[in-house]
Structures are given as C-alpha cells and as structure tokens.
Amino acid sequence: MLSKILKPVALKRLAYRLAKKLIIVPHHELEPVPEGNRGSSWLSSGEDPQFIIHPARRVPTRSFSKGWYLLRIKINEANHQSHVGKLYSNLQQGELVSIDVPWHSTKFVNRLFYLESANAMLRFDPCEAETEFTINTFMISKVPSFIAMRHMKQRLYKLLNHVDNIEEYLAANCKLNGGRLIDTVYKEYNNTFTHGAMEKSYPFWVEFDEPRAIERMKQAFTANQSQVKFSIILPTYNTDPVYLKACIDSVVQQTHKNWELCIADDASTDSQTIEVLKAYEQQYSNINVKLLNENGHISKASNEALGLVANDYVLLLDHDDTLPAHTLSFFAKAITENASAQVLYADEDKIDEQGNRHQPHFKPDWNPDLLLSQNYICHPVVYKASLLKKIGGFRVGVEGSQDHDLLLRATANLSREEVVHLPFILYHWRVIENSTASNASAKSYTTDAGIESIKHYLSQSKQSASVEKGKYPNTYKVNWSLPTEQPLVSLVIPTRDGYDILKQCLESIYDKTTYDNFEIIVVDNQTTCEKTLGLFNEYSEAKMNFSVLKWDKPFNYSAINNFAVSQASGEVVGLINNDIEVISEHWLTEMVSHALRPEIGCVGAKLYYPNDTIQHAGVVLGIGGVAGHSHKYFHKSEPGYFTRLHLVQNMSAVTAACLLVRKSVFEEVGGLNEEDLTIAFNDVDFCLKVHTAGYRNLFTPWAELYHHESISRGEEDTPEKIARFNKESEYMKEKWKKLLSNDTAYNPNLSNTHENFSLR
C-alpha cells in the first residue's frame, strides 16, 4: 500500500535524523526534493501529503501502546506560511481518529494526544496544499498522565482568558458530563486546537503588528530628538551594485535627517562598486567617501570610516544590509530619553536576495553573560563617538569577529543603564549564499576570531577564566576559575518519605560529582517511612559530609530552606529538590564557578524530564501571568531560540529545584518568603529580590540534571491547594507587576502565553 518509499538505507538515515525511536515513511503525494537537505526536504505534489509513522524496531512491542504521547515538530515551509496538519490513529481498525496540529514555518509545536488502544502505526498529514517543506524535528514521546495533565492545564491557563476560574470551570464540566477530570481537560485542550489557535507568523507580524508599533512610536516623537546627530560608517569592498545601492538608499530615505554617511572602500577591484560610491558622493553632500589604495580588511577599513566621523553618535552598517526608514528616528528618541546611554542596540531580521523578510531576532536587554557566549547584539548598534575614540576603534587581527570584539571592549566598564536596548526591528541583514547571515558555519574563521576576542576581553578585564568553542558556530563557553582551595558548598535537600527518589538523588550526587568540598543537609519534614529513616541512618554513618535536620512542622518550602541555610556552614548554598538526578559530573564545579563571581547572584542548571525534554532552562517572567520555563518540552538536542538552550546567559530567575547562591547574598535579601509564598513562586520571588539588589542571575546549560518533577508532592488538584496557589500567584502579580510585564532577559515581542519563544 505504500507508494514512493525511499531506499532502505536512505530511510534509515532519515528516520534517525527525524526521531531516534520512529520510522517515518512518505506515503502519498510526496517526493523528496533533489539535493534537498540530505533527504528531509519534501515536495507535496497534491493537497493530501502523508507520512506513515512506525515505532523503531528496537521498541520491544513494535507498537504505540495505549497512553499519553507528546508530538513535537518543527517544519520549515518554503513560503513561511501557517498550516493545520492532522495526526491520525486507529489506521488498522478502519475508524480513523484525528487531531489537529496547527503549525507555522520555523516554529516548534507541542501537541499532546491520547491513544485509546495500541497502534502499529500512525499517519501524519502535514498540510492540505501543494508546497515544499523541510522536516527539522519530528518526535513522539510517551509521557505519564501527571505530565499530560500539567501540560494541558498550562495551555488552558494561557488560552481560556474568558474563564475567571479555570479549575472551577473544568470541575463543573466534569460533573456535568459525568466523566473523569482528565477526560474533561483533554476535551477542552483539544478545543483550543480545533478552533484554529495557531502561533502568529512573522509575515503576519510584519503586516499588522509592526506598523501599529511604528505608529505608536511616531506619536511619541519630540522636537528635541531631531537635534541628535548620527554618523553612519560603511566599509565596502567589491559590493554588488544592486545591494550597495539598496544599502545607501536605505540611509538616504531615513525619516530622521540629521545624519552623515562615512564610507571607506577597501581598495575594491570592481569598477562598478567605485562608480556607485562616486555617484552617491556627488549627489549628496552628507555622504563622504574615502577610497583606500591598499586592501587592509574590514577592521582597518572601518577605522578609516571612523576617521571621517564628525557627529556625536555612530551607527555601524554593513555594505549589503539595509535600514528601515525609521531606524535613526527610533534611536534618536531613545538617546533623548536615556541621557547616560553609551551603547544602544535593537532587534533585527534577515532579508533574502528577493527582499523577503524572515528569521527575526528579538533580543533581550543588556545581557553580559550572553554576550560572552555569543554576539547576540550583532546589528544594529549605535555607539557614542567619544566611547569609540576612547577604546581606539576596531582592533586589527580579529577580522570575522570585529563587531563582537568592539562590543566587548566598549561595554567592559559600562553599567546596566548605559547599554540601552530598543525592542524593534531596526535592521535587515542580507542573506546571500555563503554569507554568515545565511549560514554561520560558512565562515569558520569567525569562531576562532571570536575566541581571540573573548580571550582579549578576559585578559584586559583581569578575569581569571579561559574560553573554548561552544556547541554551535560562533558560540563560546567561558570557564571561570575556582580558588585553589575549593569553598564549602552546602546542598540543602528537603524531603518527606520518598525513599526511592531520595536514594536516587543522593547516589547520583555522591557517585557523579567531581567537586569535592560539599556537604549535604537533608531536611526531614515529618518522615514516617521506615526505609527512608533507614536511609538517613545509612548515609549519616557512611558519609562525614551528610547530616539530617528535623523540621517537625507543616510543609512550608520557604521556611524549611531558610532554616537549613541558617544551619549551613558553606560559603555557597545549593537549594536542591529530592527528585533531582545528576547527569554531568562537572555540574557542581560549573555552578560554583559562577556563584563565586561577585556580580552573580543565583545560578540555575539545565534540567530535563526523564524523557530528555527540557523541564528548566531559566525562568521567563510574565508567561501565564507570573512565570514559565524557557523552552519547556524542547528536546535536549535542540538548539533553542538562536541556540540559547546551549548558552550561558543572564536570566531574571531560575528554579530552586537546583539553585546555587552565595550564603551572604541569600542572607542579604532575607532568604525565601515564608509568610506569603509557602509553596509556589518563592524561588522566582527570591531571584527577583537578588536581581533588584544589583546582582545578575544566571542559567548555565553546562550543568545538566534530571528533574523527576512532582513525584514527591503531586499536583495542585485540591480546592485548598488551588486556593493557596491562586493567592500566591496574586501576591507575585502585585509585588512584581513591572518586572512581570517586561522581562529584561526576554523580549516584549515574544509570547507571554507560550514558552517556545513564538511571537506575542
């Protein structure tokens, strides 16, 4: 029955790339695109393309057994359009059961579904259109029912805005239908897809959202911002005249008119490039061109352009990129509103050879640790001219990473207030074949230049650290040195019973941790299990660095940890859940190396669910009203938003399931709030107190652990728990209203309902 099946070897490679535990076979109206992405690109020849999905042979049952599953996909579609796919089950029973799977090109989609019985195969119809698409991710993971319930409720909390109390709404529907709560939740969850709830596409954002934002900004323009003077520096070399004209025209067409364009041509051998430059210089009095006699490469040419600068603020522009017409107006407004600003930057997107905009990069506010991991700022940047003069302009010898090097040196001694981010797309980065914009690995030397730039920065700022390549091109890992004498780290683990998970937690810490100087303080909250009490005795006798504190009061997470930290001897304290399991042996070394940095407050780890999907990669404020976990349910192998799943970065908050902080900082901010936040959000509240005290919180992906979440405490599923949760949620919204509405480590253009960095 299968038509157009790939050769077995090619199929095996495709199956491994798409999902290690799935075999996916093209079934109907699908043809592989020749030379296309190693076989994962497909052309739909009709309006009913289909894939048949089998479990891999190494799955013992060779079938999808009854139960809950999470489908995770990412598909790139040639026209960047939205589609509604369908996943079918019961193929062999003859009564097809389908669920809708809305998706948009380049965006990750998570879709939970339930199989009533075992299925030897499933069918996925990605769209109902003739189109070309590439499957980047296709995974189906079986999940326990409590994870399924949590996932569904999270979506309902975010999308059912018309319901005042969702828990009461679900309970009432459950009673009305006479069914189980989870069945009612699943029905409501499915309705959010059936009704066409899809992530917003970037073309839609460009057409509808961006114009409204621009108009709002224009209405706020003031007369004094017209006095801000810009010098735009533009190094050129054998630039295609078509792109060079588009670049210069984008400057000429600026709505802000107080500018000069300083061009340094790096001895171009293409006469057409020179002719274009001379024509523009002759036509416009505020365009100055300097033709260099010898090719000195990008840094030297940029410095020559800087030598032409006569104004107070300098914007960098690459020779084939373009600026939106409002770019200088927006920067001028920001300069007049931020008197101390020394460096300003904005968001950007990419523009192809046909002028189509795609792949927007909506960036966080000033994020020093992310800048050490990756040049996340890139374009556009405006510098105060006096600052560039002070640091000597571009540094020769780091070509390929000269912009990153300049940013590191320029911001080395600046405060948070002196680096200003504008959350608007103010730059279009041209994508040309073999360009860095098109493919970061197209210029492999840029990563080496980046390492040299970071080494120079660390040396000049007298930091005791080294740097190595990160997991992806143009990403880096800075290794911060520990003192010769390792400081004592006190790991606090509250528990009540929970023999199996606590035993697993303790064994993994002792067996897999290479950092030597730590102590474990288990806080016993009314344990009655004899096996668990025996475990306490076993470790107390066997380990000199193990102790048990008694907490014979009702469970109060904040109070328990405050009590334990007061008894801890370590310079650094770690708040650790009893359902944590160590993966990477250097996890504690990595976290301590950051926690000891004077400017750093809380340090969080990368936590996975048992199925290797993300449970925690930093906390994003405002999602779902209070906070959500960055990239939740992404697979551990996925890069995340602009590779952020694999980069050390500053976050507003991290989870206390695995959190390290200096004891002095913990005490400085008064620890956890044991009066108002006994169970939920106390870690977020604590992190925000640390943040407002002037420290930078940080997430590191190089400390990896499993988090068997909620095994010990269960769900928030009783009226009492729900009432307490709502009360604590309201407390957070009232206390941290300003921060929750605009997370500085996130971006206001990104979703406040989803955790996958989709558009708001």
Side-chain angles (χ1 to χ4, degrees), residues 233 299 302-303 306 316 392-396 402-403 405-406 409:
I233 68 164
S299 295
S302 297
N303 282 334
L306 279 174
L316 312 185
F394 289 87
R395 193 161 64 92
V396 176
Q402 70 283 343
D403 291 342
D405 181 83
L406 187 70
R409 291 185 293 116

Side-chain angles (χ1 to χ4, degrees), residues 139-209:
M139 299 183 60
I140 294 178
S141 303
K142 193 165 188 181
V143 297
S145 59
F146 78 89
I147 291 292
M149 177 68 92
R150 167 167 294 188
H151 180 85
M152 292 188 292
K153 282 187 176 181
Q154 284 179 335
R155 182 173 177 88
L156 294 175
Y157 288 143
K158 296 167 186 175
L159 296 183
L160 296 187
N161 298 320
H162 64 284
V163 178
D164 294 330
N165 190 313
I166 294 176
E167 293 290 348
E168 290 182 0
Y169 171 80
L170 294 172
N173 278 2
C174 180
K175 185 176 181 180
L176 181 65
N177 298 327
R180 297 183 305 162
L181 177 62
I182 196 166
D183 295 332
T184 300
V185 173
Y186 186 43
K187 178 181 178 181
E188 294 294 331
Y189 170 83
N190 282 332
N191 286 341
T192 66
F193 291 94
T194 305
H195 293 161
M198 284 188 279
E199 292 177 1
K200 186 182 297 181
S201 71
Y202 187 55
F204 181 95
W205 186 92
V206 168
E207 184 174 357
F208 296 102
D209 290 31

Side-chain angles (χ1 to χ4, degrees), residues 365-384:
D365 289 351
W366 177 225
N367 201 310
D369 284 280
L370 184 57
L371 188 62
L372 284 174
S373 301
Q374 175 192 65
N375 182 11
Y376 80 94
I377 291 177
C378 204
H379 311 291
V381 187
V382 169
Y383 295 91
K384 206 163 188 180

Side-chain angles (χ1 to χ4, degrees), residues 727-743:
K727 181 181 178 182
E728 293 179 341
S729 177
E730 290 305 315
Y731 172 85
M732 290 293 293
K733 291 175 183 178
E734 181 64 28
K735 180 178 180 181
W736 299 110
K737 183 177 181 179
K738 186 175 180 180
L739 285 175
L740 296 186
S741 65
N742 185 19
D743 187 343

Side-chain angles (χ1 to χ4, degrees), residues 520-524 535-537 539-540 546-550:
I520 291 181
I521 303 173
V522 169
V523 190
D524 173 17
L535 189 67
F536 295 162
N537 293 332
Y539 272 92
S540 296
F546 180 88
S547 61
V548 178
L549 292 177
K550 294 290 185 181

Side-chain angles (χ1 to χ4, degrees), residues 414-484:
L414 299 186
S415 65
R416 187 185 301 174
E417 293 73 24
E418 292 175 306
V419 183
V420 175
H421 168 228
L422 286 69
F424 302 95
I425 299 289
L426 299 184
Y427 196 97
H428 305 312
W429 190 5
R430 181 79 63 180
V431 177
I432 303 173
E433 187 176 1
N434 293 325
S435 71
T436 306
S438 175
N439 179 5
S441 61
K443 299 179 180 179
S444 59
Y445 69 88
T446 60
T447 299
D448 297 331
I451 288 177
E452 173 55 36
S453 298
I454 296 172
K455 281 183 179 177
H456 181 267
Y457 165 81
L458 294 171
S459 174
Q460 292 299 109
S461 56
K462 295 181 171 54
Q463 302 278 7
S464 181
S466 61
V467 61
E468 60 184 273
K469 292 181 181 179
K471 186 171 182 178
Y472 294 91
N474 302 317
T475 67
Y476 315 96
K477 179 182 187 294
V478 175
N479 301 303
W480 300 87
S481 302
L482 288 171
T484 305

